[in-house]
Amino acid sequence: MRAYYFDNQPGDQRLPHDSSRAVDTETLNGLKVEAWNIPLTEGYEEKLNAVARERAYKNRDVITISKEGLGDQYEEKIKGFYEEHIHEDEEIRYILAGGGFFDVRQASTDTWIRIAVSAGDLLVVPAGIYHRFTVDEGNMAQAVRLFKDEPKWKAIYRGAESDANPHRIDYLKSVAAAA
């Protein structure tokens, strides 16, 4: 996993868009974003299960984002994942194969931080943070999605509704308190 400021240059969302300005773990932690690597070696399932128990994740599924799997819906789906939004639950992903980019908004500056993920990376994006996702140029990502309750994925796209959402307000309070 590698984090850096997004370069804001036009071009395919699947490109690295690397500004060459690295973002350290302390900055991510200040945003309540957590990330670590659990190598896909023997025993990784038990390590992932331990994280799930510790964080009270009760359910999981596996999602594969690829041209082969999504067919004609592929381009539409990746554009939808890339639209800026929040969730009312943490978004936790453990990458099994392929790779992509999670972009998160730095609350204090409204700038994008890009987090490049690949196999073995585990990322926790807090409820209420503006973010988006895209696969990388390999056009495939497979991930375990972990959920506290029933599996759901409801995006609340950026606007008046998301800005007034209690999860967004709580998130902003939590990062202000940490500053």
Side-chain angles (χ1 to χ4, degrees):
M1 192 247 13
R2 190 170 68 84
Y4 52 89
Y5 287 98
F6 187 81
D7 69 7
N8 289 316
Q9 297 300 309
D12 191 324
Q13 67 194 40
R14 293 167 274 209
L15 296 174
H17 288 280
D18 190 344
S19 67
S20 299
R21 293 175 36 228
V23 172
D24 60 20
T25 303
E26 184 178 311
T27 300
L28 291 178
N29 290 342
L31 297 173
K32 308 296 183 194
V33 173
E34 298 178 67
W36 57 97
N37 186 277
I38 301 174
L40 284 161
T41 57
E42 185 175 331
Y44 83 88
E45 295 99 338
E46 186 46 44
K47 291 175 184 172
L48 185 59
N49 290 339
V51 170
R53 282 190 301 275
E54 178 184 315
R55 298 181 73 93
Y57 298 128
K58 299 174 190 158
N59 291 296
R60 68 184 70 190
D61 65 11
V62 175
I63 183 172
T64 302
I65 303 166
S66 69
K67 287 182 178 182
E68 295 75 24
L70 295 172
D72 293 340
Q73 296 180 356
Y74 176 74
E75 292 294 333
E76 180 183 328
K77 286 285 190 189
I78 66 166
K79 285 179 182 161
F81 295 148
Y82 199 63
E83 191 173 336
E84 185 173 4
H85 61 278
I86 65 169
H87 297 292
E88 293 184 339
D89 293 318
E90 287 181 335
E91 182 167 334
I92 183 165
R93 301 293 183 264
Y94 176 62
I95 308 300
L96 295 171
F101 304 105
F102 279 91
D103 296 338
V104 295
R105 282 275 188 201
Q106 188 170 22
S108 61
T109 64
D110 211 33
T111 56
W112 283 116
I113 294 174
R114 178 155 272 202
I115 304 166
V117 294
S118 59
D121 289 336
L122 183 88
L123 186 68
V124 179
V125 176
I129 191 173
Y130 283 117
H131 68 283
R132 60 191 184 189
F133 173 79
T134 187
V135 294
D136 60 20
E137 293 175 277
N139 286 311
M140 194 282 283
Q142 183 178 55
V144 175
R145 302 186 303 175
L146 298 167
F147 304 93
K148 291 197 181 233
D149 292 306
E150 290 302 311
K152 62 182 175 181
W153 189 87
K154 182 180 183 248
I156 303 167
Y157 296 101
R158 189 165 188 170
E161 178 187 359
S162 63
D163 287 341
N165 183 286
H167 297 276
R168 175 69 180 161
I169 292 166
D170 288 346
Y171 170 73
L172 291 173
K173 287 178 185 173
S174 74
V175 294

